[in-house]
């Protein structure tokens, strides 16, 4: 089973702050309410006892309904891959790292920023498949070369046919949700198997502040009715769609994600649902969105802590940068937020591979660089073992004052277990680095990505299954196999 490790070492909220934010979120839902623009969702809330203003489409949700939903929702959700070792169990403080989306551009290996395509979804999937520290593939880019009505199923299938890791994605239509579930059922060997071992999951956002959109509400109910795992994030931004204060931002997160958890549980009790947060701060000079701010890491760490308080799985955000290329800014912004949020124990930490340029652009090179960052973060999460073997008193006694440990069996035994062995970083001498071409990190990442993608693409889906998919879904674009 893929796992970065266990977080929980970093807790930015005190117990009192945790209670206050949670209570504030429940009071908002009870006193102010949430605007629900989907008639089916309003009816479900009304039948359950919520106070509905039908004219204003505002639903005030009693505390008891929210707390009932928290109790009804599974505290553990397993998202499956299609190969041994790729399953992910989201619970407590377990941490998994992966890509995020949905960017509209790619920074390709020729250094060109251009609109993304379906082929980019496939190629990035192949790249992620080779990255040992990227545990899932959240569909990272929008395929501009497809008609809107064909995007959902083709985007998901481009992921499913390029990697055996778990696939998550946003969706744009109810038709797309149904087609994607149908494709996953065929790939899984049937509807029941897919429910037992979900190889896909969906993301459906609430709109901040305090709004559930008509289409998004309908898609959420469709997914919940099918009992496919659904992530219900919210995206409050301090100073624009949320109060300027971080605590005020978190109160909105609490209200909005729990309103969606409640709707899912009222629609389909026990259905797998994952709290989510993609909130951040705005740039006070432009009021624009920021993806690489330290405060984004702080907020997401706190949001993870709140989800653990509720006993629900959590989808967090970290690892992005506002830099335009994989440069030094890109490195420090990405590493800082990934480390903070992983140490808080976010279960499904998306965006931690590839995204830069305010989340508008997906970089092939950054996927390779972030794989290295994620490896180092994974090492940090494993902590320091201080049992008798690791205290090493016997070997220290044996070596004694003035000796060295180089030739000790203990050193050989623990060399590769105690240290993260980098795959991309340069740790050679200055002279060796010059002799090998003076390549910087971006250049080495570019070469590694080219080497992976230069290999023939593996067939991930058997031919007979693709034939069945083609018959069931005529609008599906299958990859070409050489």
């Amino acid at each position: 089973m893929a796992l970065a490790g266990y977080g929980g070492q970093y807790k930015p909220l005190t117990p009192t702050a945790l209670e206050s934010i949670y209570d504030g979120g429940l009071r908002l839902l009870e006193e102010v309410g949430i605007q629900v623009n989907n008639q089916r969702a309003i009816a479900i809330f009304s039948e359950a006892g919520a106070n509905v203003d039908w004219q204003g489409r505002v639903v005030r949700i009693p505390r008891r309904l929210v707390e009932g939903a928290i109790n009804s929702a599974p505290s553990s959700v397993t998202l499956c891959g299609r190969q041994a070792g790729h399953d992910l169990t989201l619970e407590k403080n377990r941490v998994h790292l992966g890509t995020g989306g949905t960017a509209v551009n790619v920074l390709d290996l020729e250094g060109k920023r251009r609109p993304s395509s379906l082929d980019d979804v496939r190629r990035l999937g192949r790249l992620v498949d080779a990255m040992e520290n990227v545990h899932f593939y959240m569909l990272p880019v929008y395929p501009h070369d497809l008609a809107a009505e064909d995007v959902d199923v083709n985007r998901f299938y481009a992921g499913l046919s390029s990697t055996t890791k778990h696939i998550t994605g946003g969706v744009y239509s109810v038709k797309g949700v149904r087609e994607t579930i149908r494709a996953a059922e065929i790939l899984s060997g049937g509807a029941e198997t897919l429910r037992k071992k979900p190889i896909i999951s969906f993301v459906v956002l609430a709109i901040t502040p305090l709004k559930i959109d008509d289409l998004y509400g309908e898609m959420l109910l469709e997914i919940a009715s099918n009992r496919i795992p659904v992530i219900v994030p919210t995206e409050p931004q301090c100073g624009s769609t949320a109060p300027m204060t971080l605590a005020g931002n978190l109160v909105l997160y609490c209200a909005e994600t729990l309103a969606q958890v409640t709707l899912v549980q009222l629609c389909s009790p026990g259905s797998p649902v994952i709290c989510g947060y993609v909130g951040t701060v705005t740039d006070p000079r432009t009021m624009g969105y920021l993806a690489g701010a330290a405060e984004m890491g702080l907020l997401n760490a706190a949001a993870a802590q709140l989800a653990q308080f509720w006993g629900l799985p959590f989808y967090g955000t970290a690892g992005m940068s506002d830099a335009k290329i994989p440069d030094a800014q890109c490195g420090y912004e990405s590493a800082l937020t990934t480390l903070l949020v992983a140490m808080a124990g976010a279960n499904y930490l998306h965006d931690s591979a590839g995204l830069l340029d305010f989340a508008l652009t997906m970089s092939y090179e950054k996927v390779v660089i972030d794989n290295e960052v994620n490896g180092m973060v994974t090492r940090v999460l494993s902590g320091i073992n201080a049992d008798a073997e690791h205290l090493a008193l016997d070997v220290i006694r044996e070596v004694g004052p003035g000796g060295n440990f180089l030739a000790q069996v203990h050193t050989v035994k623990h060399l590769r277990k105690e240290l993260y062995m980098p795959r991309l970083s340069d740790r050679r001498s200055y002279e060796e680095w010059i002799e090998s071409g003076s390549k910087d990190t971006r250049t080495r990442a570019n070469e590694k990505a080219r080497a992976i993608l230069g290999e023939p693409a593996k067939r991930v889906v058997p031919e007979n299954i693709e034939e069945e998919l083609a018959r069931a879904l005529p609008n599906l674009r299958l990859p070409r196999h050489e």
Side-chain angles (χ1 to χ4, degrees):
M1 183 167 286
L3 179 69
Y6 295 86
Q9 302 89 345
Y10 176 51
K11 297 182 178 181
L13 297 176
T14 65
T16 301
L18 206 60
E19 293 272 6
S20 298
I21 290 168
Y22 176 49
D23 183 66
L26 293 189
R27 286 173 59 191
L28 274 187
L29 288 177
E30 203 162 36
E31 298 167 8
V32 178
I34 186 166
Q35 186 185 92
V36 180
N37 291 288
N38 180 272
Q39 289 296 316
R40 189 175 156 207
I42 295 177
I44 289 172
F45 276 124
S46 178
E47 287 169 14
N51 180 359
V52 175
D53 170 0
W54 290 90
Q55 190 171 5
R57 302 187 301 277
V58 173
V59 175
R60 294 180 176 83
I61 309 173
R63 179 180 293 253
R64 64 174 175 77
L65 282 189
V66 179
E67 293 182 337
I70 291 173
N71 291 330
S72 165
S75 58
S76 175
V77 173
T78 297
L79 304 178
C80 297
R82 303 201 324 283
Q83 197 171 57
H86 288 332
D87 289 357
L88 318 167
T89 297
L90 314 188
E91 63 180 13
K92 298 178 181 174
N93 58 351
R94 294 170 63 92
V95 179
H96 309 279
L97 305 164
T99 54
T102 303
V104 293
N105 306 301
V106 292
L107 183 62
D108 64 25
L109 291 172
E110 285 69 45
K112 182 180 178 183
R113 181 182 186 266
R114 58 171 173 75
S116 47
S117 67
L118 186 64
D119 192 49
D120 288 310
V121 183
R122 294 191 184 111
R123 283 167 58 81
L124 285 161
R126 288 180 56 205
L127 190 58
V128 163
D129 196 62
M131 298 290 114
E132 69 276 20
N133 299 312
V134 181
H135 305 128
F136 58 88
Y137 187 45
M138 182 166 177
L139 303 169
V141 295
Y142 186 89
H144 293 277
D145 51 335
L146 293 182
E149 62 271 21
D150 291 335
V151 164
D152 287 332
V153 69
N154 280 292
R155 212 162 73 95
F156 267 82
Y157 192 67
L160 288 163
S161 58
S162 58
T163 175
T164 55
K165 295 180 181 180
H166 182 80
I167 306 294
T168 294
V171 274
Y172 302 96
S173 72
V174 174
K175 169 180 171 286
V177 170
R178 291 172 180 160
E179 288 180 341
T180 301
I181 292 174
R182 181 62 188 134
E185 287 173 344
I186 292 172
L187 267 173
S188 299
E192 188 177 347
T193 306
L194 177 64
R195 273 64 181 179
K196 288 180 179 174
K197 292 182 68 67
I199 59 172
I200 58 167
S201 53
F202 295 102
V203 179
V204 179
L205 272 162
I207 297 174
T208 301
L210 298 170
K211 183 176 177 181
I212 294 176
D213 173 77
D214 182 15
L215 174 59
Y216 279 30
E218 193 61 37
M219 291 192 297
L220 181 61
L221 294 175
E222 182 70 23
I223 297 164
S225 299
N226 277 281
R227 301 183 76 80
I228 300 296
V230 61
I231 299 160
V232 289
T234 172
E235 192 170 10
Q237 296 178 38
C238 291
S240 57
T241 60
M244 191 61 229
T245 53
L246 304 192
N249 180 306
L250 290 167
V251 169
L252 276 180
Y253 150 67
C254 178
E256 291 163 352
T257 198
L258 288 180
Q260 292 195 97
V261 168
T262 304
L263 179 56
V264 168
Q265 293 307 305
L266 291 176
C267 169
S268 181
S271 188
V273 61
I274 299 156
C275 291
Y277 181 74
V278 285
T280 185
V281 298
T282 49
D283 185 340
R285 294 167 300 183
T286 64
M287 300 314 293
Y289 168 86
L290 290 176
E295 293 85 357
M296 189 175 196
L298 187 59
L299 282 164
N300 272 274
Q305 207 180 333
L306 279 158
Q308 289 160 15
F309 177 67
W310 304 326
L312 297 177
F314 176 68
Y315 160 100
T317 309
M320 295 186 287
S321 173
D322 299 321
K324 313 306 176 285
I325 58 173
D327 60 6
Q329 177 188 341
C330 188
Y332 61 70
E333 288 181 343
S334 301
L336 176 65
T337 56
T338 297
L339 184 61
L340 280 178
V341 185
M343 290 186 71
N347 304 134
Y348 202 66
L349 212 175
H350 85 302
D351 289 341
S352 65
L355 280 177
L356 42 68
D357 184 18
F358 308 106
L360 292 171
T361 302
M362 184 73 177
S363 161
Y364 284 80
E365 293 156 344
K366 189 171 185 294
V367 171
V368 178
I369 296 168
D370 286 339
N371 184 62
E372 185 89 322
V373 173
N374 292 351
M376 293 183 176
V377 168
T378 297
R379 175 61 191 95
V380 171
L381 293 183
S382 69
I384 297 174
N385 189 336
D387 63 15
E389 169 70 14
H390 288 78
L391 286 173
L393 290 177
D394 290 343
V395 73
I396 295 170
R397 285 192 190 97
E398 184 178 338
V399 170
N404 76 68
F405 297 85
L406 189 60
Q408 295 297 315
V409 173
H410 187 273
T411 301
V412 176
K413 182 179 178 182
H414 291 282
L415 185 65
R416 296 185 183 280
K417 296 177 181 175
E418 283 289 281
L419 307 180
Y420 170 69
M421 303 303 288
R423 306 295 178 90
L424 185 70
S425 305
D426 188 301
R427 290 180 170 175
R428 294 170 295 179
S429 70
Y430 181 80
E431 289 74 17
E432 290 172 320
W433 177 72
I434 291 288
E435 286 174 9
S436 64
S438 313
K439 296 172 185 174
D440 63 11
T441 305
R442 184 180 179 186
T443 302
R444 295 193 298 275
N446 186 295
E447 290 178 350
K448 185 165 185 175
R450 284 178 184 273
I452 292 167
L453 296 175
E455 294 291 322
K458 294 183 294 186
R459 177 183 275 281
V460 176
V461 178
E463 187 174 358
N464 64 319
I465 300 294
E466 287 209 326
E467 289 172 355
E468 185 179 352
L469 284 163
R471 287 192 296 273
L473 299 159
N475 59 336
L476 195 62
R477 298 196 181 187
L478 301 176
R480 285 179 297 182
H481 299 287
E482 297 175 358

